Amino acid sequence: MTIIRQTSLFSIQELYDMEPTQKYEAIISALDLDAIYREVTKKSRLGAPEELNYAAMIISTFVRYIERIPTIKDLIKRLHDDIAFKLNCGFLVSDDIPSEASYSRLVTKLKECNIFEKEQEKVVLQAIAEGFIMDDTVAIDATHFEARDQAPSKVEKPKPEPKKRGRKSKEERDGWLKEQAEKEANLPLYEKKIEAQLDVSLAELRAEVPQDPKWGVKKNSEGKNVFWFGYKGHLAVGTSSQYILQSLFSSGSLNDGKAAIPLLKGIHEQLPLPSLRYQTMDAGYDYDPIYEQVHQMGQQSVIAYNKRNEGEPIGFDKYFAPTCFREHSYRYDSFDAKYETLKYTRPKECNDCPLANEGICQKVYKVKITQDLRRYTAPARGSKAWKTTFKRRTAVERVNAYLKEFFQLNNVRYRTGERAKIHFDMVTLIYNASKLAADRINAQLNQQAA
């Protein structure tokens, strides 16, 4: 008999309504505090002794996000004024409250060891081991948040020199092409075209991400450009479990599509998820290299199509389904995974068509998706199965809203990109830990009910 895990009854919001002691214990227990503590404490007995309670400082830093305390200054004031809060954070009655400078040095140590990315992977692997992540679809999207500093004024780009009229000679054109190729080869990784990422390792992709605050632009619901100065958080979220499977922090100017391949490679190389079948994204990720990366992973792309001034092909409709002689669209029937072939059947309108029996329109039409991974997806574009899968993409938008509303993602208190990344990593880590804590409580409630 198949065991079906019940849907979540106990949510993160209900977790945050619990008593502080129980809430902190549930969330912090999902993290490996010993590993974080080892990274920030002294590695040698030599030198001045450390009088600070680093374990309690780490816990209080996490609690600051759980309790939505906006600044370190407010956290220190709360520790001074509330003895119960101080004890819940792990401090002893006799411990001195650390200063703002002490917390700043703690952030510096965390930045140098890059421990939060490792802890994020541990939490996700633990959730997989406990059976809370069994998704077949991943949704990828980006969200923006502003920097701490005031945005600098925009620098107008100098106008390019007018181009010379007339055709170039063969020698001039060859020289120009060679010059352009050299410029492309010398560009930083994330300023090159997206296809340059396919042959680059995951470690290099993560190391080369630009992190300084930059001007970013995005169209709002009215189609108007909205500008901001700051950063972007790129997330890959399980659509059913709503765990953050992979995350990436970048400058606000980075194109969304250039963060997709690092996220996809991270899922493929770091997470044992054989149930995954689909990667769904909006039209901002409609690039050939992204389809190729998903295909190399043995999965299917469900990505909104961006026409980019492309005309509709002759003999096909807007979803690239073949059309009959009278321009009726063939119906998507099935996908043959072995041969990677889409099968279309004759349109309903052809049942009474006099041309049907004359051999002009064929009954079945098959096409391999490898012919054009961008146009031919499985399930086929425009089909009911494709639309149903694409609707699951809203899960990543929901998680983005949670991070901003409950976990202070848009409350960056640091001035540099490297320290702002610590803020982003801690926010995503606390979210996953809260999700794991809520799922564990749900499992206990279900077990008691059974």
Side-chain angles (χ1 to χ4, degrees):
M1 179 178 177
T2 304
I3 298 175
I4 301 176
R5 188 166 65 89
Q6 296 184 12
T7 56
S8 179
L9 303 175
F10 188 89
S11 65
I12 290 180
Q13 296 180 12
E14 291 172 306
L15 173 69
Y16 273 56
D17 292 336
M18 293 172 61
E19 291 294 324
T21 304
Q22 297 174 321
K23 176 171 56 178
Y24 301 161
E25 174 64 25
I27 297 174
I28 301 300
S29 64
L31 304 173
D32 187 359
L33 283 180
D34 292 337
I36 303 175
Y37 178 73
R38 286 195 297 269
E39 292 290 342
V40 299
T41 51
K42 288 176 56 177
K43 303 298 187 294
S44 172
R45 294 182 179 179
L46 303 178
E50 292 182 345
E51 299 178 355
L52 297 174
N53 187 341
Y54 269 105
M57 287 180 67
I58 295 168
I59 294 175
S60 63
T61 305
F62 288 136
V63 170
R64 178 197 153 209
Y65 288 92
I66 297 171
E67 293 293 342
R68 304 170 202 171
I69 300 174
T71 65
I72 293 295
K73 184 177 181 180
D74 294 326
L75 173 64
I76 294 173
K77 185 176 184 302
R78 178 83 178 270
L79 290 170
H80 275 293
D81 297 342
D82 190 343
I83 185 64
F85 179 77
K86 178 181 177 180
L87 297 175
N88 285 333
C89 289
F91 289 100
L92 302 176
V93 176
S94 59
D95 285 337
D96 294 329
I97 304 300
S99 64
E100 290 187 61
S102 299
Y103 276 103
S104 178
R105 287 192 291 270
L106 174 64
V107 172
T108 301
K109 291 183 178 182
L110 293 171
K111 174 179 69 69
E112 292 172 351
C113 65
N114 199 25
I115 185 63
F116 287 141
E117 287 187 6
K118 302 174 187 175
E119 289 305 306
Q120 183 78 278
E121 184 180 350
K122 284 183 182 179
V123 172
V124 175
L125 290 175
Q126 185 62 35
I128 294 173
E130 296 182 24
F132 299 130
I133 300 180
M134 298 180 290
D135 301 89
D136 66 346
T137 305
V138 171
I140 294 178
D141 201 2
T143 186
H144 71 274
F145 49 102
E146 296 185 0
R148 177 76 175 92
D149 287 342
Q150 184 178 2
S153 58
K154 295 182 180 179
V155 179
E156 295 185 2
K157 296 181 180 179
K159 294 182 179 179
E161 297 180 1
K163 296 181 180 179
K164 296 181 181 180
R165 294 186 177 181
R167 295 183 63 182
K168 296 180 181 180
S169 65
K170 187 176 184 303
E171 291 78 10
E172 288 177 333
R173 178 169 176 76
D174 292 341
W176 179 81
L177 290 174
K178 185 178 180 180
E179 181 182 350
Q180 294 300 314
E182 290 177 354
K183 284 183 179 180
E184 177 72 16
N186 294 327
L187 288 174
L189 178 59
Y190 281 89
E191 293 183 18
K192 296 180 180 179
K193 296 180 180 179
I194 298 179
E195 51 261 33
Q197 299 179 1
L198 289 172
D199 298 326
V200 179
S201 66
L202 176 61
E204 186 176 350
L205 284 171
R206 286 195 164 274
E208 296 293 327
V209 178
Q211 297 179 353
D212 294 329
K214 298 288 184 183
W215 279 103
V217 59
K218 195 169 186 177
K219 289 188 180 296
N220 60 12
S221 58
E222 300 176 355
K224 297 180 180 179
N225 288 335
V226 178
F227 295 90
W228 81 93
F229 181 77
Y231 313 100
K232 276 185 180 180
H234 308 268
L235 304 180
V237 174
T239 56
S240 298
S241 65
Q242 294 190 17
Y243 278 86
I244 299 174
L245 305 180
Q246 287 286 304
S247 59
L248 194 71
F249 171 86
S250 76
S251 300
S253 59
L254 185 70
N255 181 281
D256 291 358
K258 292 186 176 180
I261 291 180
L263 295 174
L264 292 169
K265 286 190 174 183
I267 293 173
H268 184 60
E269 297 179 15
Q270 296 179 347
L271 303 180
L273 288 172
S275 59
L276 283 185
R277 295 179 60 194
Y278 306 109
Q279 300 287 341
T280 178
M281 311 168 210
D282 61 24
Y285 297 86
D286 183 32
Y287 295 96
D288 288 321
I290 297 177
Y291 290 92
E292 186 175 344
Q293 175 63 39
V294 175
H295 184 257
Q296 290 177 4
M297 295 164 58
Q299 299 168 18
Q300 304 298 332
S301 304
V302 181
I303 304 175
Y305 193 80
N306 188 351
K307 286 187 176 180
R308 302 197 191 100
N309 299 322
E310 300 172 2
E312 293 183 6
I314 299 174
F316 298 86
D317 65 8
K318 62 180 180 180
Y319 298 119
F320 308 105
T323 55
C324 68
F325 187 78
R326 299 177 68 180
E327 297 187 355
H328 296 300
S329 299
Y330 275 65
R331 294 175 295 171
Y332 170 67
D333 181 83
S334 59
F335 173 68
D336 189 337
K338 181 179 180 181
Y339 297 101
E340 297 185 315
T341 302
L342 298 174
K343 178 183 176 182
Y344 295 88
T345 57
R346 181 181 288 173
K348 291 181 179 179
E349 294 82 358
C350 293
N351 293 336
D352 301 327
C353 179
L355 302 176
N357 299 324
E358 296 183 9
I360 296 178
C361 296
Q362 60 192 76
K363 292 183 178 180
V364 176
Y365 191 97
K366 294 184 178 181
V367 59
K368 292 182 71 68
I369 63 171
T370 51
Q371 180 179 327
D372 191 331
L373 292 172
R374 183 167 169 243
R375 290 184 173 182
Y376 303 112
T377 63
R381 291 186 180 277
S383 64
K384 184 178 180 180
W386 189 95
K387 293 177 181 178
T388 301
T389 304
F390 185 74
K391 286 180 181 178
R392 301 175 191 169
R393 195 190 62 83
T394 56
V396 67
E397 297 176 349
R398 198 173 302 116
V399 172
N400 284 332
Y402 285 155
L403 297 184
K404 289 184 176 181
E405 183 176 357
F406 297 107
F407 297 91
Q408 304 189 73
L409 177 61
N410 50 1
N411 181 31
V412 179
R413 312 302 300 183
Y414 306 110
R415 299 186 183 279
T416 64
E418 291 180 342
R419 295 172 79 87
K421 182 179 181 297
I422 292 293
H423 169 79
F424 173 75
D425 289 343
M426 196 172 297
V427 165
T428 54
L429 179 61
I430 290 296
Y431 169 83
N432 270 353
S434 301
K435 192 75 179 65
L436 180 56
D439 282 344
R440 284 173 172 173
I441 293 174
N442 273 319
Q444 292 176 358
L445 294 175
N446 290 338
Q447 186 176 5
Q448 291 173 3

